[in-house]
Amino acid sequence: MSRTTGRKSRRPSQQESVPILSAAYLKNAKSKKDIISRLSAITNALESDPELDPSDAPGLASLSTLLVQPDSFLHHKDSDVRLHTLLACMELFYVYAPEPPWDEEEILNIFRVMVRMLGNLGHTLESSGSGVDGGGTSGNSAETSCGENSNNYEHYFRILELLSEVKIGVVLVELVRSTPTDLDPSAEDELRQEALEILCDLIRTIITCVHVDHPPEVAAHAEVAVAACIEEFDGSVPVQVLDEILVFVGAGPIQWVTNPAAVRAAAAVALAKKKRQPPPFPQSEMPPAQIQQTNPQYLVAAKIIRRTEDKISSPIAALLNGLLGGDADVVTSISVVDLTETTTTDARGKTVSTPSAAAVTSTGQVAHTGADVWSITYELHRIAPQILTTVIGTVASSLVYPEVGPRWRATKLLGRLFAARSSNIAVKFRICFSQWLRRSADTEQKIRETMVKGLVSFLTNKSHETDLCQDVNESLATILTKDPSLDVRLLAIRQVCELAHNATNDAISDTAATTPSATTSNTTTPPSRTYTPDISVFSAELLLAVANRVSSKNKIERRDAITGLAQIFHKHYIRKILRHVQDGGDDCDIEVILRVLHEHCSEEQIKKYKFVVEAEEKFGWIPQKVFECVYFSDATDPELRNRIYQIVDDVLLDGGLTATSRAVGLAIILHGLKKKGKENAFKWMCALFSQRSQLQRALGLYLDARVKAKGCEAGSAEAFTADAEAMEKLEVVASLSSPLVGISSSNSDSSADMSSVLKRFHTAKDKHIFRILSTIASPTHSPSARKRAFDELPKRTKGMGAVSVAWTKALARRCSMGAFVNFESIEHCIILAQESFEANDCKVSSLFLTCVKTMIASFPALAATKESFKNLVEFLEVVRTDVTPEAKKELEEYGIVTLISDILAKSASSMPASDVGGKGNGDDEETISIYETLRSQLLRLCKNDGTPEQARNSVHALSSLVNPVSQHLSLPSRVKKEKKEFEPLLKALVAPSRLAVPDDSMASKQKSKIVSVLSAIAAVAECAPYAFNSTGEGKTPLCWGERAIDFSLNAVLLGKNTSSNLSNEEYSSDSGSESETESPAKGRRSSTARGNKAAVASSKENDKVNISVHCRMICASIEVLICHIRATIVRAKADGAKSELEAPSTEHVAKVFKTLIDI
């Protein structure tokens, strides 16, 4: 602003001949208004002539004297008179520069008024209101708010402008530096001290008067005015002056101020309450009481320090060293002595440490209250880091203080300095950094907690400092594994896991803004910057240290550790691996899927890629830890068990992934769990899903029993009996669900027990509760059914009490299928297995089939859906008919056919009756065709070229298709169907061409067929005992099963009738030619000896094959005998008096077991 901006020249009246620039002109004033008018005219006259020479205005000296006389205009009772008098005096400072026309006392009086008047600038805005001084010693107090309409803003601004342009404050500096020699020493010291106090008041007022809503010129003039005073000092700057500047530095770049919207809202609410009206808006929509705002005083102080850094850097460093070192002279001479922090609660309800350097008033000003040297030191690293060159060592020396207070504050300060993104102090002061790291093992818990926060902050902002981050990782790992305090370990677990989960591969998040600095422009809501480190900054050892806490004795520690690790695994491992599959959607190209699986499931491929190896070491073991936590049962830690269900269902493979991505992720996780050394985790996973399967079945049985009870006549004995049975089944459900201790709620009734909860639940009148539960009692329910159960059940059970609501929610979570495994993922696993085979990759195909096999062991129905079963049958047909010799070898190597047959055997048992094909059942042609295709392939596996396991699986699948579980046929109908299906098969299996001891001259593959035949016969004996014991055909009275028993017992175990070329008649006549009491070992030896006569010169490898075949044949024969005895007795008892089965004779059972004992 120019010297003449906004000014109008005032001319003396034509009737008045007295010069304006004279004492007489001012004395002629008649009233207060006239005084103000004449003072304005004097000021304008002085301002309009910048080249005015005092010798050219004879009355100027008398005018100067008159203005400052006691009880005169400068000390007038009216503030406006004082204000205009001060403006005139300041213009006189310019005219008389460099020697003002007043003595020392008068100069000090002028500056006292100047301080009071200038303080009002902070309460006025341009073209707005004004404030006036209240006669205090500081400009921080004002009588008038900024709401009054006045033009005084420009007068206050003019004071600051003159201080900046004319550098009037230098006059005070001169008084501080030297005094007239005609005074005695004590008076000189007193004057010097008084001048120093006023100078400090002036500097404080200049900085304080800057408001966030002022134009930038105000801050610029304040900076120049204060800098001029500091630069005028020849030697050391007084510590009192430094104190006034550092006070505002310690306040920081951000301050909390009263929210005007909150004030208005509170007033509106109060007015509505007074008028007995409803509040204008709900309490939840009330604006926050405080908001963040850029601290303009901090910005001005920072610019002053930068502008005068050469002059004040050494004094500031000496001052800080004196304060930190406890120098008594320094501590007693200034206000920066408060080495503590005050704890307050901000508008968000969060506890924060507020430096005592400044207190923010409701008007946004900073009230001087002392300073926090630790905060000042930290802020200086942003403004002028070179100042701290000698200070860091002093701070580091405080790390070994015996007192906890200084040690803790030094630890906190160094942590903030080392972690500051805008500095490289940790690199420059490596020794101090090492000393700071050693505080991780401090004896004081408070210091160790501060170290955790500091170490995590360092990883956040300094991820590019690889070597230093490695040291930080080691310190955090030591805290996690060795710290004796649970609170410290929990803090470390939560902060490390949260930071690792939020980490990205970019140094700064996309939504980040800029941190306010000393050069940031004033804004009401200052922008903030959110830094997230690269995930590579976290070492595998640090994450393993977190995993170490999973085995802690503390439940909270276990739960927090495993939850954090699971979230890290999902974001930084499985999501990253599946990103290309996810981008491809459910129809992702199979080549992309194969590449992903080979990179992470093939040991040869993994070693080729360093990033894959590092990812495996850092994250690949996390699912193992998750499933090992299943070890903690409901009796030990029910809350952890509930958390594991949640992690498995919603974290490892979340619902945001496509079904194809979840299928690929499932294959990767299960492949990792099956690696050597992780077998326990795989078993615990199976146990977890087995418990869920049992719960689903128990819930289904309860719901059926409840329906049955509701269908009985009310009050009848039948109704009471059915209701009691339903209640018993509900208790079984409760035993498999979460106990109440695992779902305790702060709002729950402490006296509630499980029996009362179950009674309330069982007697609930809302039928929709049980309809919802019925939708999730089957493993094939949809994700939408699960979501509906989670949303609706808490609402519908609310009237039962908080405990019942919590128990029902836990029941729904434990029962429903999550994203880790459900019918969608299994269906896609089957499809991907088929596509992988068509892409000539049997290894990947076996991975997907293994996933299906593993999961249907607990949930057979997942592969029994119509679409999945159809795909399995098609897959089986393809691998059995349309394969090249090379592909056939791969099929055998990876056991594709065996896996498919196993899946079919287990899933067929869960197929609904309506999905079981067969002519005459009313099924469509496609279903009948699928059934016929499956039947023909299964029979081929039984009779021709299937392995023992494939033959056994095929018989079980056929049995399930003939008699599905859900089909309730009469016993005669079931027996008829069983015989129709299995008698032809059994007849073919016991034919002499198949049921014969192999010759040593046969090929190894031909020799092994007898094992498959015996395995199929054993399966028939177990699944179809009526067909097995039915009367056979031919000239002998033996049924087909008896022929198999005779062969297994006599020919194989007792070594009789070993010829493989016997007809039916020869086989039957020879069956009892040898003594039944012959030793089984002797018979096997003689049989082997006869067979070996034609192969005396056979190789050792052939001997191994022979031994293997004979051993397997003996085991299969034992299985035939045991299955026959067990299945016949069990089925006969189950079917009761209507059964046609006759239990094996006592002599036969005794003979079999005697033989087994001899073996």
Side-chain angles (χ1 to χ4, degrees):
M1 182 179 291
S2 67
R3 292 177 55 86
T4 59
T5 299
R7 303 290 184 175
K8 294 183 180 179
S9 299
R10 294 181 179 270
R11 302 295 180 185
S13 172
Q14 294 181 356
Q15 292 79 14
E16 186 174 7
S17 59
V18 179
I20 295 177
L21 299 180
S22 66
Y25 173 76
L26 192 56
K27 290 179 179 178
N28 292 336
K30 305 298 182 182
S31 62
K32 182 187 75 172
K33 185 176 180 181
D34 191 19
I35 293 174
I36 295 174
S37 176
R38 291 173 182 267
L39 285 171
S40 297
I42 294 171
T43 302
N44 289 333
L46 292 171
E47 181 182 355
S48 62
D49 189 2
E51 304 298 330
L52 177 65
D53 190 338
S55 61
D56 297 336
L60 197 59
S62 61
L63 175 63
S64 301
T65 303
L66 176 63
L67 289 174
V68 297
Q69 283 181 353
D71 299 328
S72 184
F73 299 101
L74 186 63
H75 305 284
H76 197 278
K77 63 180 180 179
D78 185 78
S79 61
D80 286 335
V81 174
R82 293 197 302 271
L83 172 61
H84 287 81
T85 303
L86 176 65
L87 289 171
C89 290
M90 296 194 71
E91 295 292 346
L92 290 172
F93 270 115
Y94 176 74
V95 172
Y96 281 97
E99 294 293 336
W102 305 288
D103 60 25
E104 292 78 8
E105 187 61 34
E106 293 171 337
I107 292 174
L108 293 180
N109 287 333
I110 293 173
F111 274 101
R112 290 188 182 99
V113 176
M114 186 189 305
V115 168
R116 290 196 297 270
M117 290 297 176
L118 187 59
N120 291 294
L121 179 61
H123 304 281
T124 57
L125 299 178
E126 188 175 16
S127 301
S128 178
S130 69
V132 292
D133 71 296
T137 59
S138 172
N140 292 327
S141 59
E143 296 174 351
T144 309
S145 67
C146 57
E148 296 184 3
N149 293 322
S150 172
N151 294 325
N152 281 351
Y153 168 80
E154 68 178 45
H155 299 316
Y156 300 138
F157 179 81
R158 180 59 180 166
I159 296 172
L160 181 62
E161 186 180 32
L162 287 172
L163 282 170
S164 170
E165 294 178 353
V166 186
K167 300 179 174 56
I168 298 175
V170 171
V171 176
L172 279 178
V173 176
E174 292 294 333
L175 292 178
V176 172
R177 290 169 50 195
S178 61
T179 55
T181 57
D182 56 348
L183 297 176
D184 58 83
S186 61
E188 289 182 4
D189 292 340
E190 184 178 350
L191 181 63
R192 186 184 297 112
Q193 184 63 32
E194 189 175 2
L196 180 59
E197 291 177 359
I198 296 176
L199 175 62
C200 292
D201 286 343
L202 178 64
I203 292 174
R204 183 191 321 133
T205 304
I206 290 174
I207 299 177
T208 304
C209 75
V210 181
H211 193 277
V212 68
D213 294 324
H214 279 160
E217 290 85 356
V218 175
H221 286 311
E223 173 192 347
V224 175
V226 177
C229 296
I230 294 175
E231 290 172 347
E232 187 64 20
F233 286 99
D234 291 335
S236 178
V237 180
V239 292
Q240 291 87 346
V241 174
L242 299 178
D243 175 31
E244 297 301 335
I245 300 173
L246 295 179
V247 159
F248 299 100
V249 171
I254 302 299
Q255 62 184 2
W256 287 94
V257 297
T258 302
N259 186 3
V263 175
R264 291 192 295 269
V269 171
L271 181 61
K273 185 177 180 181
K274 183 178 180 180
K275 295 181 178 180
R276 298 184 179 180
Q277 297 175 348
F281 36 78
Q283 184 67 27
S284 59
E285 297 180 6
M286 282 284 290
Q290 290 184 313
I291 57 174
Q292 281 187 322
Q293 180 178 278
T294 299
N295 185 354
Q297 290 84 22
Y298 170 87
L299 301 181
V300 172
K303 291 179 181 178
I304 292 171
I305 292 176
R306 288 196 184 100
R307 190 183 187 101
T308 61
E309 183 175 356
D310 293 341
K311 177 70 70 173
I312 66 172
S313 58
S314 296
I316 290 178
L319 170 63
L320 295 178
N321 285 324
L323 288 172
L324 295 169
D327 188 331
D329 295 336
V330 175
V331 170
T332 56
S333 62
I334 61 171
S335 63
V336 185
V337 296
D338 186 2
L339 304 185
T340 63
E341 289 184 341
T342 58
T343 302
T344 59
T345 302
D346 63 19
R348 300 160 295 178
K350 180 179 178 182
T351 300
V352 294
S353 295
T354 304
S356 57
V360 182
T361 66
S362 59
T363 59
Q365 301 305 302
V366 178
H368 182 76
T369 60
D372 174 12
V373 67
W374 311 100
S375 298
I376 292 172
T377 305
Y378 174 75
E379 294 299 336
L380 283 174
H381 96 274
R382 296 180 179 179
I383 301 168
Q386 294 300 324
I387 295 177
L388 301 182
T389 302
T390 61
V391 177
I392 298 298
T394 305
V395 178
S397 64
S398 301
L399 293 172
V400 293
Y401 273 12
E403 294 84 3
V404 174
R407 199 166 74 244
W408 170 69
R409 297 184 190 100
T411 301
K412 183 177 180 180
L413 173 60
L414 288 177
R416 296 179 69 193
L417 290 174
F418 292 146
R421 194 170 183 83
S422 58
S423 72
N424 60 345
I425 295 177
V427 177
K428 291 182 178 179
F429 298 90
R430 289 295 295 268
I431 296 178
C432 296
F433 183 75
S434 300
Q435 294 173 347
W436 176 70
L437 288 178
R438 286 196 286 271
R439 291 302 96 202
S440 301
D442 197 279
T443 56
E444 184 64 29
Q445 177 180 330
K446 181 180 179 181
I447 294 177
R448 299 198 303 274
E449 290 177 351
T450 302
M451 281 300 301
V452 170
K453 297 175 183 177
L455 293 169
V456 172
S457 179
F458 188 91
L459 292 179
T460 303
N461 298 325
K462 295 291 186 179
S463 57
H464 57 282
E465 300 291 350
T466 309
D467 294 340
L468 297 181
C469 286
Q470 183 61 35
D471 296 338
V472 170
N473 273 275
E474 292 176 1
S475 297
L476 281 171
T478 302
I479 291 174
L480 285 166
T481 54
K482 297 182 180 180
D483 198 280
S485 171
L486 172 63
D487 293 336
V488 175
R489 297 197 304 270
L490 284 175
L491 178 66
I493 290 170
R494 290 165 182 168
Q495 296 223 351
V496 169
C497 290
E498 181 180 1
L499 183 62
H501 176 257
N502 294 332
T504 64
N505 291 324
D506 300 320
I508 304 176
S509 61
D510 295 336
T511 58
T514 305
T515 302
S517 63
T519 58
T520 306
S521 61
N522 297 339
T523 55
T524 301
T525 304
S528 60
R529 188 166 190 159
T530 303
Y531 294 103
T532 52
D534 192 284
I535 189 60
S536 61
V537 76
F538 298 91
S539 65
E541 291 75 14
L542 177 57
L543 296 181
L544 285 170
V546 176
N548 176 269
R549 306 320 307 163
V550 174
S551 57
S552 169
K553 294 181 180 180
N554 183 268
K555 296 180 180 181
I556 299 176
E557 196 172 4
R558 290 198 296 259
R559 190 166 64 248
D560 288 355
I562 199 61
T563 303
L565 289 173
Q567 292 173 334
I568 293 169
F569 170 83
H570 172 76
K571 180 175 180 179
H572 297 294
Y573 184 79
I574 205 69
R575 271 277 185 179
K576 186 176 180 181
I577 290 174
L578 299 176
R579 63 188 184 279
H580 298 306
V581 181
Q582 180 74 3
D583 293 341
D586 279 335
D587 296 326
C588 181
D589 187 359
I590 189 63
E591 293 299 327
V592 176
I593 296 172
L594 294 178
R595 183 171 64 251
V596 168
L597 287 171
H598 279 295
E599 285 179 356
H600 295 88
C601 296
S602 173
E603 296 299 330
E604 297 78 12
Q605 292 291 330
I606 288 176
K607 294 177 181 178
K608 292 182 181 179
Y609 302 103
K610 182 179 178 181
F611 72 93
V612 177
V613 175
E614 292 177 351
E616 285 293 323
E617 292 178 352
K618 194 174 288 187
F619 310 113
W621 47 267
I622 292 179
Q624 174 191 355
K625 282 292 180 183
V626 171
F627 288 111
E628 284 178 352
C629 287
V630 182
Y631 163 81
F632 297 99
S633 64
D634 280 324
T636 305
D637 192 351
E639 293 179 356
L640 180 61
R641 177 61 69 97
N642 289 336
R643 181 62 59 85
I644 293 301
Y645 272 108
Q646 187 175 359
I647 289 172
V648 173
D649 289 340
D650 301 325
V651 179
L652 293 183
L653 295 173
D654 74 320
L657 295 171
T658 63
T660 300
S661 297
R662 284 187 277 116
V664 177
L666 180 63
I668 293 173
I669 291 175
L670 291 189
H671 174 76
L673 292 178
K674 286 197 168 187
K675 289 182 179 178
K676 187 177 181 181
K678 299 184 179 180
E679 298 84 356
N680 283 339
F682 181 80
K683 292 177 182 177
W684 285 117
M685 180 197 70
C686 295
L688 184 72
F689 290 134
S690 177
Q691 183 181 5
R692 170 169 285 174
S693 177
Q694 293 173 27
L695 178 59
Q696 289 174 347
R697 288 195 295 270
L699 180 60
L701 292 174
Y702 162 70
L703 295 174
D704 293 340
R706 189 178 185 278
V707 171
K708 179 182 176 182
K710 293 297 180 181
C712 298
E713 183 180 355
S716 63
E718 183 183 4
F720 283 117
T721 303
D723 190 73
E725 291 177 355
M727 195 64 187
E728 289 178 0
K729 295 184 184 301
L730 180 57
E731 290 173 355
V732 175
V733 172
S735 67
L736 295 169
S737 185
S738 176
L740 295 183
V741 67
I743 54 175
S744 58
S745 172
S746 59
N747 297 325
S748 61
D749 184 3
S750 58
S751 62
D753 56 6
M754 183 59 76
S755 60
S756 61
V757 170
L758 296 182
K759 186 175 180 181
R760 289 193 208 119
F761 179 82
H762 180 64
T763 56
K765 295 181 179 181
D766 190 348
K767 297 180 180 179
H768 198 64
I769 294 174
F770 305 98
R771 293 195 186 102
I772 293 173
L773 288 174
S774 66
T775 62
I776 60 173
S778 168
T780 56
H781 65 262
S782 64
S784 60
R786 180 175 187 259
K787 184 177 184 299
R788 184 169 60 253
F790 286 177
D791 292 341
E792 292 291 328
L793 286 176
K795 300 175 185 177
R796 295 185 175 273
T797 57
K798 188 176 181 180
M800 303 180 194
V803 177
S804 298
V805 172
W807 182 81
T808 308
K809 287 170 61 178
L811 172 63
R813 175 166 293 285
R814 290 202 177 193
C815 190
S816 58
M817 306 295 291
F820 187 80
V821 56
N822 54 31
F823 83 96
E824 290 180 343
S825 56
I826 294 301
E827 185 177 301
H828 279 73
C829 280
I830 295 172
I831 296 172
L832 292 174
Q834 191 169 356
E835 291 182 6
S836 301
F837 173 76
E838 292 170 356
N840 300 319
D841 198 328
C842 289
K843 182 176 182 179
V844 172
S845 181
S846 68
L847 284 177
F848 286 116
L849 289 175
T850 301
C851 292
V852 179
K853 177 184 175 181
T854 301
M855 293 306 161
I856 66 169
S858 300
F859 309 103
L862 291 178
T865 60
K866 189 171 183 178
E867 192 65 27
S868 296
F869 203 79
K870 174 185 173 183
N871 292 332
L872 283 170
V873 174
E874 291 177 355
F875 195 7
L876 179 63
E877 184 181 15
V878 169
V879 299
R880 292 283 297 154
T881 57
D882 189 18
V883 291
T884 62
E886 293 79 9
K888 195 170 184 179
K889 289 182 180 178
E890 280 198 73
L891 287 172
E892 293 176 356
E893 179 183 355
Y894 294 105
I896 301 295
V897 178
T898 303
L899 287 169
I900 298 175
S901 64
D902 192 3
I903 295 168
L904 286 168
K906 293 175 180 175
S907 60
S909 63
S910 297
M911 291 186 66
S914 59
D915 290 342
V916 178
K919 295 179 181 179
N921 287 351
D923 297 303
D924 55 54
E925 293 183 2
E926 183 184 13
T927 304
I928 294 173
S929 175
I930 291 172
Y931 172 76
E932 292 299 334
T933 300
L934 175 60
R935 183 175 180 277
S936 63
Q937 293 299 332
L938 294 177
L939 290 175
R940 280 185 57 194
L941 288 173
C942 291
K943 296 187 292 186
N944 296 339
D945 54 357
T947 64
E949 189 175 357
Q950 293 167 5
R952 185 165 50 250
N953 292 335
S954 299
V955 173
H956 282 284
L958 286 170
S959 175
S960 298
L961 293 173
V962 172
N963 291 314
V965 174
S966 59
Q967 190 172 15
H968 302 287
L969 295 176
S970 63
L971 180 60
S973 300
R974 185 151 43 89
V975 171
K976 183 179 179 181
K977 288 185 64 176
E978 185 179 296
K979 289 182 177 180
K980 181 180 177 181
E981 182 69 35
F982 286 104
E983 279 185 354
L985 173 60
L986 191 58
K987 179 181 177 180
L989 291 174
V990 299
S993 59
R994 290 188 176 90
L995 202 61
V997 177
D999 238 339
D1000 290 340
S1001 59
M1002 296 180 180
S1004 59
K1005 190 171 183 180
Q1006 292 294 325
K1007 294 178 183 179
S1008 300
K1009 283 187 177 181
I1010 184 61
V1011 183
S1012 299
V1013 170
L1014 289 172
S1015 296
I1017 292 173
V1020 172
E1022 185 174 6
C1023 298
Y1026 288 98
F1028 191 85
N1029 291 284
S1030 63
T1031 304
E1033 299 175 356
K1035 299 178 183 180
T1036 64
L1038 293 175
C1039 66
W1040 309 123
E1042 288 178 336
R1043 296 186 184 188
I1045 292 170
D1046 180 72
F1047 175 79
S1048 300
L1049 180 58
N1050 295 321
V1052 178
L1053 298 182
L1054 298 178
K1056 303 175 182 179
N1057 300 325
T1058 57
S1059 175
S1060 60
N1061 296 318
L1062 295 177
S1063 65
N1064 279 350
E1065 293 80 7
E1066 293 169 329
Y1067 181 80
S1068 299
S1069 62
D1070 276 351
S1071 61
S1073 60
E1074 293 186 30
S1075 171
E1076 292 182 355
T1077 59
E1078 184 175 358
S1079 168
K1082 179 179 178 182
R1084 187 164 69 84
R1085 282 199 300 272
S1086 62
S1087 171
T1088 304
R1090 287 193 297 271
N1092 283 341
K1093 289 181 179 178
V1096 175
S1098 62
S1099 64
K1100 292 183 179 180
E1101 186 64 29
N1102 196 31
D1103 290 341
K1104 293 179 181 179
V1105 173
N1106 291 338
I1107 294 172
S1108 176
V1109 169
H1110 282 83
C1111 289
R1112 291 162 59 203
M1113 182 175 63
I1114 292 172
C1115 293
S1117 297
I1118 294 173
E1119 187 179 3
V1120 170
L1121 297 172
I1122 298 302
C1123 286
H1124 165 249
I1125 296 172
R1126 180 179 64 242
T1128 304
I1129 296 174
V1130 171
R1131 182 65 67 84
K1133 288 184 177 181
D1135 294 340
K1138 298 180 181 180
S1139 175
E1140 303 173 359
L1141 291 175
E1142 294 183 3
S1145 64
T1146 306
E1147 293 78 8
H1148 173 72
V1149 175
K1151 181 178 179 181
V1152 170
F1153 279 93
K1154 183 179 184 305
T1155 304
L1156 297 180
I1157 293 171
D1158 290 339
I1159 292 175

